Amino acid sequence: MSHLSQRPADPVVGRALPHESAALHVTGAALYTDDLVGRTAAVLHAHPVQSPHAHARVTDLRIAAALEVPGVVRVLTGADVPGVNDAGVRHDEPLFPTEVMFHGHAVCWVLGETLEAARLGAAAVEVDYEPLPSIITVREAIEAQSFQGAQPVMVRGDVEAGFARAAHVFSGEIEFAGQEHFYLETHASIAQVDENGQIFIQSSTQHPSETQEIVAHVLGVPSHAVTVQCLRMGGGFGGKEMQPHGFAAIAALGATLTGRPVRLRLSRTQDLTMTGKRHGFHASWRVGFADDGRIEALDATLTSDGGWSLDLSEPVLARALCHVDNAYWIPEVRVHGRIAKTHKTSQTAFRGFGGPQGMLVIEDLLSRCAPRLGLDPGDLRRRNFYAAGQATPYGQVVRHPERMEVTWQAVLDGADIASRQAEVAEFNRTHEDVKRGLALTPVKFGISFNLTAFNQAGALVHVYKDGSVLINHGGTEMGQGLHTKMLQVAATTLGLPLERIRLAPTRTDKVPNTSATAASSGADLNGGAVKDACEQITERLAQVAAARLGVPAESIHFHDGMARSSHPLEGADSAGTRSISWEDLVVAAYFDRVQLFAAGYYRTEGLHWDSAIFQGSPFKYFAYGAAAAEVEVDGFTGAYRTRRVDIVHDVGDSLSPLIDIGQIEGGFVQGAGWLTLEDLRWDESDRASRGRLATQAASTYKLPSFSEMPEDFRVSLLEHAHEEGVVYGSKAVGEPPLMLAFSVREALREAAAAFGPAGTSVHLASPATPEAVYWAIEQARSGGDTTVLEEASARDGDVVDGREPDGARRDGAPARLPLASPSHGIPSDVERGTYPADARVRR
């Protein structure tokens, strides 16, 4: 067992403790960025002037009228930027644009004594626009060949040979929507400038170091002139990894120019219309199966909706490709990726970071193909699980694949799946207008940043003369419990009670060059750094204790506020050891002039990645999980309820079980929201409002609530799951549970299919809103999914789905499969069963 993963006896890690700020959260005493406004004198407020066009050229900007509005202090424009007029790491996001790229794009900002004054000033700004053609949907981008960034290809083996040996070849498409982060706290920054010109920014950011860098280059100053602090966030989910930088830069620019603190906090509508979301995707695929249902080959093209700029779209796409296999061995693979450039908000990181989108492609096609293969979807999934020695399509050997099988079996046994499947079948036989569905789905999710350089972290630990301890680390707290885990790691390593340790807010002048708190790696990276810093201190203190006790330093260990020697000597205490209290030892060390602080550092070992050939081992390990969901669907409306969910998830040896279970529950519910409820709608018409986000509030954008929670929700952690080479044997928990929600979507598909004859396959739009479920039910009643075609039968000259196999159009062009826009849940004529679909023939 490695030193990093080994736990001492009776550690503080592993104890079921509440979140360190739980009492502050529930009493309203917890401070967030915008709460500091009332504690700051002479604050100015910022308000944007937003474009009413999806794509237009700014031909004139007149601010004189705004300056006449009482309370308006200044209008910030591009002419005020002393450094670089750009807020993106790819230099493709002008802070003050001359060409607006989405409906709601800010062209300038007004500073006022009050927010109302700033709002009225923004309304008085006069802007002339020259409207330009816009691209709103992914399909429009594909047709226009509007792409941006890299177009990676992941290849393994001979795909055509795999199709040649396959007994069944299917092809189809899927398009699915993005997701709004809808964190409780919207984007917020407060900037101040001191007498020396030093800029201090309080920001709700997951990446303080990058916020610091962007602000510095906008202002034209070195990074050491900018300090960014993140107290805590009221949710982030990836939406505050890249997006806060521009807002912080506006506040910092305003503070620099006026000499007064500037507060920028977006309203909910502004946050929804100005910031990025989860990437929606379109995917076309072709898959081959052997007679026994084993996958032989997969050929797919994934197109993400990147919005108007790159942001994090390239790494999101890379992770989508890396997770298109999910938990399944696919011997021959070819997957193309590309990023659509559309005139919408710049889509960004969101919990899972492309992984859920890649997994959805394989999970959807398995469920659509299983009935055509005569197999239960769960059986089809299980027989394709990875086995020992097999590697992913990008070349990384899958470590501990047996955990997927163990986790799957634990759900089967613990949830009594066999008997419940029989109960569901009996219920469906005796109920004509209400049906139930029960589905199991797996998760295999890689943990680490794809970009190897990001897999490092730092920490600073201070021990004061009274024995109290202060910790700084590079991770940010957004409610996920990272600080709680870091306190437990420090307490375990130092051998102290938790009450002796305090954790300070994340600041760039304490720990520099930090990576974003993202990729589910916060505890792995920062935990390793905190442990390293604490061990440097205990190594020094062990020397002091050894000298005081007259024992070898290597015999000293720290536990429960004492330094004890395992070396038996005369004068030992009742436990048979010599000891000294932590407080006495610290004082002794001070007078011996022993350093009582340390900077810790950690880098994840064993990682390598070549993005040019899309090969390597980008992940430290894989997290596994399995979920079973049971739903009940109304055949008249498509309305449904989730009756029961059973989850078994692998978090290694948990650092903090209560935190981990909470993350699993929350991730699952957020995933269910993406897949079944949250329906982003942009105006796709040719009216002046084209490109406007129609779902601008909680009244039009439906979020999961208590009524959507499973009536019976059972979560357990996989036992005997120690992960070697990770801090105290733990595993990440932030992102993987979100994908357990695939079980709900597939259960809805099973229930909808039950309205048709046995063996019916249905296409289910995503999000699977009641409307979408209703149309899936109508498919089942009308003969099932006609958008997935079995090419092997067509090749042999057989009739496919009641149609002739020749799918070529009269003009000789290959047929295009009709497909509804799943983001709207409205079926095409084919899905309604009204008109026959063309068949696509394998050449």
Side-chain angles (χ1 to χ4, degrees):
M1 185 180 293
S2 68
H3 177 72
L4 180 63
S5 61
Q6 187 174 7
R7 294 188 177 191
D10 190 28
V12 180
V13 294
R15 296 181 189 174
L17 301 176
H19 191 286
E20 48 90 21
S21 294
L24 300 179
H25 291 160
V26 300
T27 59
L31 286 177
Y32 296 87
T33 297
D34 201 55
D35 292 325
L36 302 175
V37 173
R39 302 178 175 213
T40 308
V43 175
L44 295 177
H45 304 260
H47 196 285
V49 176
Q50 295 181 262
S51 165
H53 303 283
H55 189 202
R57 187 173 291 110
V58 177
T59 58
D60 196 18
L61 178 63
R62 298 179 295 279
I63 64 173
L67 296 174
E68 297 299 320
V69 174
V72 169
V73 174
R74 184 150 187 162
V75 179
L76 302 179
T77 69
D80 294 315
V81 178
V84 180
N85 180 26
D86 195 276
V89 296
R90 298 298 298 272
H91 304 292
D92 61 347
E93 299 182 29
L95 194 60
F96 297 96
T98 56
E99 181 181 344
V100 296
M101 299 296 286
F102 65 94
H103 197 289
H105 202 165
V107 296
C108 65
W109 291 77
V110 177
L111 304 182
E113 297 285 356
T114 66
L115 184 58
E116 179 63 8
R119 185 189 70 80
L120 293 173
V125 171
E126 300 171 345
V127 188
D128 292 339
Y129 299 95
E130 177 190 339
L132 300 171
S134 61
I135 295 172
I136 303 302
T137 70
V138 177
R139 286 199 183 277
E140 290 173 356
I142 293 172
E143 291 171 2
Q145 292 293 288
S146 175
F147 302 114
Q148 57 185 326
Q151 297 191 18
V153 182
M154 182 176 68
V155 180
R156 174 173 61 194
D158 187 335
V159 174
E160 296 308 322
F163 285 124
R165 69 173 180 265
H168 305 275
V169 178
F170 303 97
S171 59
E173 295 179 85
I174 180 175
E175 185 175 348
F176 45 92
Q179 184 180 18
E180 168 58 41
H181 300 87
F182 224 105
Y183 22 66
L184 291 178
E185 176 205 27
T186 60
H187 279 278
S189 290
I190 301 175
Q192 296 172 274
V193 180
D194 69 14
E195 72 279 6
N196 294 315
Q198 297 285 311
I199 301 102
F200 179 62
I201 303 169
Q202 299 273 7
S203 178
S204 182
T205 175
Q206 292 176 236
H207 200 174
S209 289
E210 197 165 80
T211 300
Q212 175 192 35
E213 292 172 16
I214 295 297
V215 170
H217 85 235
V218 168
L219 297 182
V221 299
S223 290
H224 73 224
V226 179
T227 299
V228 175
Q229 173 171 291
C230 178
L231 278 177
R232 59 167 59 84
M233 285 167 279
F237 311 118
K240 295 177 180 176
E241 182 174 346
M242 291 281 287
Q243 306 275 306
H245 310 334
F247 303 126
I250 293 292
L253 177 62
T256 301
L257 294 175
T258 65
R260 294 173 59 180
V262 172
R263 168 244 199 173
L264 189 159
R265 181 187 63 81
L266 299 184
S267 68
R268 179 61 65 186
T269 297
Q270 289 168 347
D271 201 286
L272 285 166
T273 57
M274 296 175 69
T275 67
K277 293 99 176 59
R278 185 188 296 280
H279 292 70
F281 270 67
H282 172 276
S284 57
W285 51 263
R286 190 166 169 242
V287 63
F289 294 92
D291 272 328
D292 64 357
R294 296 186 187 276
I295 302 172
E296 295 282 9
L298 174 66
D299 190 6
T301 297
L302 275 59
T303 306
S304 73
D305 185 349
W308 75 278
S309 69
L310 274 174
D311 194 272
L312 289 167
S313 293
E314 287 179 316
V316 165
L317 180 64
R319 187 168 279 261
L321 267 60
C322 284
H323 286 80
V324 78
D325 60 329
N326 193 7
Y328 313 114
W329 163 251
I330 309 173
E332 324 288 349
V333 188
R334 180 173 61 223
V335 184
H336 293 260
R338 55 193 182 178
I339 303 163
K341 184 169 186 175
T342 58
H343 294 104
K344 291 191 287 199
T345 53
S346 185
Q347 314 316 359
T348 190
F350 198 128
R351 196 176 196 170
F353 201 80
Q357 293 96 315
M359 290 183 186
L360 182 54
V361 174
I362 191 73
E363 294 301 333
D364 183 76
L365 73 84
L366 288 175
S367 289
R368 293 165 76 180
C369 293
R372 298 166 184 271
L373 294 169
L375 295 172
D376 174 79
D379 292 340
L380 178 61
R381 289 181 166 88
R382 189 172 194 174
R383 67 183 60 189
N384 281 290
F385 283 169
Y386 276 105
Q390 292 176 337
T392 63
Y394 47 90
Q396 179 164 356
V397 174
V398 177
R399 185 176 173 185
H400 299 315
E402 70 282 355
R403 290 193 186 179
M404 187 68 261
E405 181 67 35
V406 171
T407 303
W408 187 266
Q409 190 62 48
V411 173
L412 286 174
D413 295 340
D416 197 17
I417 296 299
S419 64
R420 287 173 57 204
Q421 283 177 327
E423 292 171 3
V424 167
E426 177 60 21
F427 179 90
N428 290 344
R429 187 186 66 81
T430 57
H431 292 75
E432 181 179 355
D433 300 320
V434 179
K435 304 291 183 183
R436 291 177 180 173
L438 176 61
L440 282 78
T441 57
V443 166
K444 174 187 70 67
F445 190 82
I447 302 298
S448 291
F449 289 95
N450 270 66
L451 182 63
T452 304
F454 287 169
N455 295 288
Q456 59 177 307
L460 182 62
V461 176
H462 295 169
V463 178
Y464 295 97
K465 286 189 292 182
D466 65 352
S468 62
V469 179
L470 179 67
I471 298 172
N472 282 97
H473 66 87
T476 55
E477 176 64 47
M478 61 197 89
Q480 84 279 35
L482 175 61
H483 284 356
T484 306
K485 290 184 174 183
M486 295 305 96
L487 288 168
Q488 290 182 264
V489 168
T492 298
T493 311
L494 296 173
L496 290 177
L498 272 174
E499 58 268 19
R500 299 296 283 150
I501 303 172
R502 184 174 76 84
L503 202 148
T506 310
R507 284 175 62 121
T508 57
D509 61 352
K510 297 297 185 289
V511 180
N513 308 320
T514 57
S515 296
T517 305
S520 301
S521 61
D524 289 358
L525 296 177
N526 295 288
V530 167
K531 188 172 187 286
D532 176 56
C534 292
E535 286 175 342
Q536 293 177 46
I537 293 170
T538 56
E539 285 175 10
R540 297 174 199 143
L541 292 178
Q543 297 290 335
V544 177
R548 291 294 188 278
L549 300 177
V551 298
E554 57 270 19
S555 73
I556 298 293
H557 63 277
F558 297 85
H559 179 67
D560 201 23
M562 300 292 292
R564 291 188 172 90
S565 170
S566 58
H567 193 74
L569 288 173
E570 292 184 8
D573 59 20
S574 59
T577 61
R578 286 188 170 183
S579 63
I580 182 173
S581 73
W582 172 265
E583 287 78 11
D584 290 344
L585 179 58
V586 167
V587 170
Y590 172 76
F591 281 102
D592 283 353
R593 295 183 297 176
V594 173
Q595 183 178 331
L596 290 172
F597 58 91
Y601 180 77
Y602 174 78
R603 52 176 280 173
T604 309
E605 300 294 343
L607 306 180
H608 59 93
W609 178 246
D610 188 336
S611 59
I613 60 174
F614 220 81
Q615 289 290 301
S617 293
F619 305 123
K620 178 66 174 178
Y621 56 84
F622 295 98
Y624 299 95
E630 182 179 338
V631 300
E632 185 173 292
V633 172
D634 185 324
F636 293 110
T637 63
Y640 49 81
R641 60 191 181 99
T642 305
R643 302 186 70 245
R644 177 174 167 180
V645 169
D646 293 83
I647 292 172
V648 176
H649 195 71
D650 170 22
V651 297
D653 287 340
S654 175
L655 291 177
S656 194
L658 270 184
I659 296 293
D660 285 344
I661 288 175
Q663 284 293 291
I664 293 167
E665 293 172 343
F668 175 89
V669 172
Q670 191 170 50
W674 171 49
L675 294 166
T676 68
L677 293 171
E678 301 179 43
D679 194 0
L680 288 169
R681 300 282 188 102
W682 274 273
D683 189 335
E684 299 173 15
S685 73
D686 292 327
R687 297 188 296 268
S689 57
R690 176 174 169 81
R692 176 183 177 272
L693 180 65
T695 49
Q696 296 188 11
S699 59
T700 51
Y701 185 78
K702 184 167 175 57
L703 295 162
S705 62
F706 285 117
S707 61
E708 280 77 41
M709 288 286 288
E711 297 168 11
D712 187 349
F713 199 3
R714 309 184 189 194
V715 177
S716 60
L717 305 179
L718 183 66
E719 297 179 348
H720 312 298
H722 178 88
E723 188 63 29
E724 182 64 20
V726 185
V727 61
Y728 289 128
S730 63
K731 276 188 175 183
V733 73
E735 293 170 299
L738 183 136
M739 288 142 278
L740 296 168
F742 289 141
S743 59
V744 176
R745 184 174 188 270
E746 298 314 318
L748 289 171
R749 189 197 307 272
E750 292 291 304
F755 285 91
T760 296
S761 172
V762 296
H763 168 64
L764 182 61
S766 188
T769 61
E771 180 185 14
V773 172
Y774 174 78
W775 289 119
I777 292 169
E778 288 295 287
Q779 283 180 49
R781 289 167 171 161
S782 304
D785 183 8
T786 59
T787 63
V788 172
L789 304 175
E790 184 170 1
E791 300 176 15
S793 296
R795 175 193 58 193
D796 295 335
D798 296 336
V799 172
V800 180
D801 292 331
R803 300 182 303 283
E804 293 298 322
D806 183 8
R809 296 194 329 211
R810 291 182 180 178
D811 61 6
R816 180 174 178 274
L817 292 176
L819 182 69
S821 171
S823 63
H824 291 182
I826 301 172
S828 66
D829 290 327
V830 173
E831 290 173 299
R832 292 191 181 102
T834 309
Y835 299 104
D838 292 335
R840 180 178 294 162
V841 181
R842 191 172 78 178
R843 296 182 185 278

